[in-house]
Each structure stands twice: as structure tokens, then as C-alpha cells.
Amino acid sequence: DLKTEEKRLYEEYKAKLAEIKKVQKEKEAVGQVFTKGLLPIYVLHILKSGPTNGNEISTKISERTNGLWTPSTGGIYPLLKKLEKEGLVIGQWNDPKKKFQKFYSLTPLGEKEFDNRKSLLKHKIEESLMVFQIVYKDLYL
């Protein structure tokens, strides 16, 4: 009967959609670990080697991670603004009249904060690596 088949297909569609949404949420959660946890320290690390802009920071992270992690500039620029408010970085326009590109550099406070965060995070990152290795072995070996 057509009505029964329509209902079955609709239920199947709803189940698939729920599954897709769940996978998307899980991907976002994994992405947040990088964005909230690692991005701030990694941006400070990149700025330690000299002034650069948000697009270039994204490109450098992508290059250094062999394309496995390419943070969006939509996440980098708000972070740079936040770091600027905290006095950790300073942004300067390449042409103050045109305001085309803003280059960011670490302040002395930013350098101290980078060293501080780096030493605080070392143990956490090592723990995370161990957890990932255990979970990987359990799931795939």
C-alpha cells in the first residue's frame, strides 16, 4: 500500500537525518578541541617567529600539519582580536589609510604568556596523545 511505503520511507529519512546530525555534532566536538584548546597556543607559537596576518596563520598551520588541520580564518580573526584585547598581541595595518591587511605580532606580555601556557599545556597534550593511542589501539589494532 502506498501510504505504508510513504510512511516507511519518511521514517527511514528521519533516522538517516538524525544520524547525519549526530556525526556532524561529533565532528564539531572534535574540532572544538583543536579550536578552543590548541589554536590559541599555536597562534602564539606562529607569531613568535614574526608578524603575520590571520590568513597566513591559517596557511602556516595547514602547511605544518600537512593539511590535516586548516583552521578557518573565521575562527582565527576573532581569536586575534581577543588576544589583542588581552594585550598579548598587537595588530598594525600594513597601510593605515587603506586598512587592507592587519599584521599581528607578539607583545612582551604575549611572549611571557606563550611560555607560561606552553609549560602548562605540555602535560595535558602528552596525556591526550596517550589517550588517543590507547583508544586507537582498542578500536583498530
Side-chain angles (χ1 to χ4, degrees):
D1 156 74
L2 190 61
K3 281 275 186 223
T4 310
E5 183 61 9
E6 275 182 2
K7 186 173 178 160
R8 187 191 67 73
L9 286 172
Y10 180 68
E11 292 304 319
E12 200 176 289
Y13 160 78
K14 281 193 342 191
K16 274 278 184 224
L17 192 61
E19 192 179 311
I20 289 168
K21 284 181 179 176
K22 185 177 176 220
V23 167
Q24 189 60 39
K25 264 198 160 96
E26 288 169 359
K27 278 184 180 174
E28 286 169 9
V30 170
Q32 282 182 352
V33 169
F34 285 103
T35 306
K36 300 251 189 301
L38 292 178
L39 187 59
I41 185 101
Y42 213 41
V43 166
L44 293 174
H45 169 74
I46 287 170
L47 289 175
K48 210 167 157 64
S49 62
T52 189
N53 63 43
N55 290 338
E56 192 60 30
I57 291 170
S58 177
T59 301
K60 284 180 180 183
I61 292 174
S62 183
E63 286 170 357
R64 289 180 180 177
T65 62
N66 297 316
L68 293 171
W69 180 28
T70 307
S72 78
T73 53
I76 289 178
Y77 279 105
L79 174 61
L80 287 168
K81 281 202 181 315
K82 181 178 177 275
L83 294 172
E84 196 172 18
K85 272 186 186 164
E86 294 171 3
L88 304 180
V89 303
I90 187 160
Q92 295 175 310
W93 294 103
N94 63 337
D95 182 342
K97 288 187 184 99
K98 291 184 183 163
K99 294 188 175 183
F100 178 65
Q101 265 191 337
K102 203 173 196 183
F103 283 80
Y104 293 86
S105 19
L106 277 184
T107 63
L109 179 64
E111 293 211 22
K112 277 186 196 159
E113 184 61 22
F114 169 73
D115 292 337
N116 185 35
R117 287 184 188 188
K118 187 176 156 187
S119 65
L120 285 172
L121 277 176
K122 185 175 190 229
H123 183 67
K124 275 285 167 213
I125 292 172
E126 288 169 345
E127 276 181 359
S128 298
L129 286 171
M130 286 190 290
V131 168
F132 277 115
Q133 287 174 334
I134 291 165
V135 170
Y136 182 83
K137 276 186 207 161
D138 286 351
L139 293 177
Y140 304 107
L141 300 179

